[in-house]
Amino acid sequence: MRQPLVAGNWKMNGSKASAETLLAGIKEGMGGISKTEVLVCPPFPYLGLAVSALAGSRVAVGAQNACTEAGGAFTGEVSAAMVKDVGCIYVILGHSERRQYYGETDEIIAKKYAQALAAGLTPILCVGETLAERERGETQSVVARHLDGVMETAGIEAIARGVIAYEPVWAIGTGMTATPEQAQEVHAFLRQRVAAKSAEVAAGVRILYGGSMKPDNALELMSQADIDGGLIGGASLKASDFLAICRA
Ligand code: PGA
């Protein structure tokens, strides 16, 4: 049985003050949420703050990125070991905004994934097609390439130790959610692709959906057989919305 995971991706939003308010709101509102694992991923400068604010709660903290290298002369970078050291247990990798704006390739993401595992973090590997790719009928080949980027280099064991997030790029921050059927189709495809290497890993790996998930569509999406939770952007910035999704 896969435990649902709802993760909030705050992206580059907020301030120290708004982070404190949001964290307090989430911590206070966790009553009644027992089956779902809850995670928040604030920007780097607020990770330590989040770990302290959420101490003693059931809410975990993760980062939104980490470096391809273990440490040393890489000005401006943050290592997976540092993320782990301040108390995080997860790291989001390969988000489409990283792929699109920072030129992250499957090769770069595979390196980051390996570093995350070496540091003892659980990577959340984001995969997803653009609208143009979907319209060209390339959805499956694109998500397969994103998944294989890690699965072929780091191996099926690495997939077993992580989480996958299907995020259609056209649904991110647009209010245009994939229908539950559209999402389920891709989730099932991803699980089958993992199953081709190991049925056991496929049965256990969690596949989250991300892309305009909101309190009013979360239940329907998460009711799908292969959707094991959500990676939430916009709606994770409001405690009541985020908690409503966790309850769904
Ligand atoms: P959204 O973002 O929920 O604002 O669409 C999701 C994400 O980018 O992780």
Side-chain angles (χ1 to χ4, degrees):
M1 190 56 192
R2 299 184 293 269
Q3 185 188 17
L5 169 64
V6 174
N9 173 13
W10 293 10
K11 308 193 181 185
M12 196 171 72
N13 289 298
S15 61
K16 182 164 173 275
S18 72
E20 279 166 351
T21 307
L22 181 52
L23 292 164
I26 293 169
K27 190 176 179 181
E28 275 161 31
M30 283 292 291
I33 300 170
S34 57
K35 280 187 239 136
T36 299
E37 187 180 356
V38 180
L39 168 69
V40 293
C41 301
F44 285 130
Y46 308 134
L47 290 178
L49 178 104
V51 170
S52 307
L54 296 169
S57 79
R58 292 186 45 255
V59 185
V61 182
Q64 300 169 19
N65 184 26
C67 188
T68 49
E69 311 302 322
F74 298 97
T75 302
E77 289 294 303
V78 174
S79 74
M82 291 169 183
V83 167
K84 169 79 176 175
D85 192 33
V86 297
C88 292
I89 58 173
Y90 284 92
V91 61
I92 299 170
L93 294 176
H95 190 280
S96 63
E97 286 148 18
R98 303 285 326 164
R99 294 179 190 262
Q100 194 180 342
Y101 306 136
Y102 299 97
E104 289 196 9
T105 60
D106 291 316
E107 198 186 341
I108 290 171
I109 294 156
K111 278 192 191 164
K112 293 185 172 197
Y113 197 101
Q115 289 291 350
L117 288 183
L121 292 170
T122 301
I124 300 176
L125 172 68
C126 300
V127 306
E129 82 288 2
T130 63
L131 185 58
E133 288 164 341
R134 174 164 281 266
E135 284 170 352
R136 288 199 300 267
E138 294 169 7
T139 299
Q140 293 194 347
S141 62
V142 170
V143 299
R145 192 176 71 228
H146 291 166
L147 175 65
D148 290 356
V150 169
M151 201 160 66
E152 299 296 332
T153 55
I156 187 68
E157 270 316 303
I159 296 297
R161 293 166 62 195
V163 173
I164 300 167
Y166 169 55
E167 297 206 306
V169 179
W170 49 271
I172 295 177
T174 58
M176 232 166 87
T177 319
T179 65
E181 295 72 28
Q182 279 174 324
Q184 166 58 26
E185 198 185 336
V186 180
H187 282 236
F189 170 78
L190 287 165
R191 201 178 299 286
Q192 277 156 23
R193 200 160 180 92
V194 176
K197 303 267 182 202
S198 163
E200 194 190 338
V201 174
V205 72
R206 291 180 291 182
I207 309 180
L208 314 181
Y209 169 80
S212 299
M213 194 186 268
K214 303 272 184 287
D216 63 358
N217 61 26
L219 180 60
E220 220 190 338
L221 284 159
M222 294 206 244
S223 307
Q224 302 298 312
D226 290 295
I227 302 185
D228 307 311
L231 181 53
I232 322 300
S236 74
L237 297 172
K238 210 174 138 197
S240 57
D241 284 356
F242 183 62
L243 290 163
I245 295 172
C246 294
R247 279 193 202 92

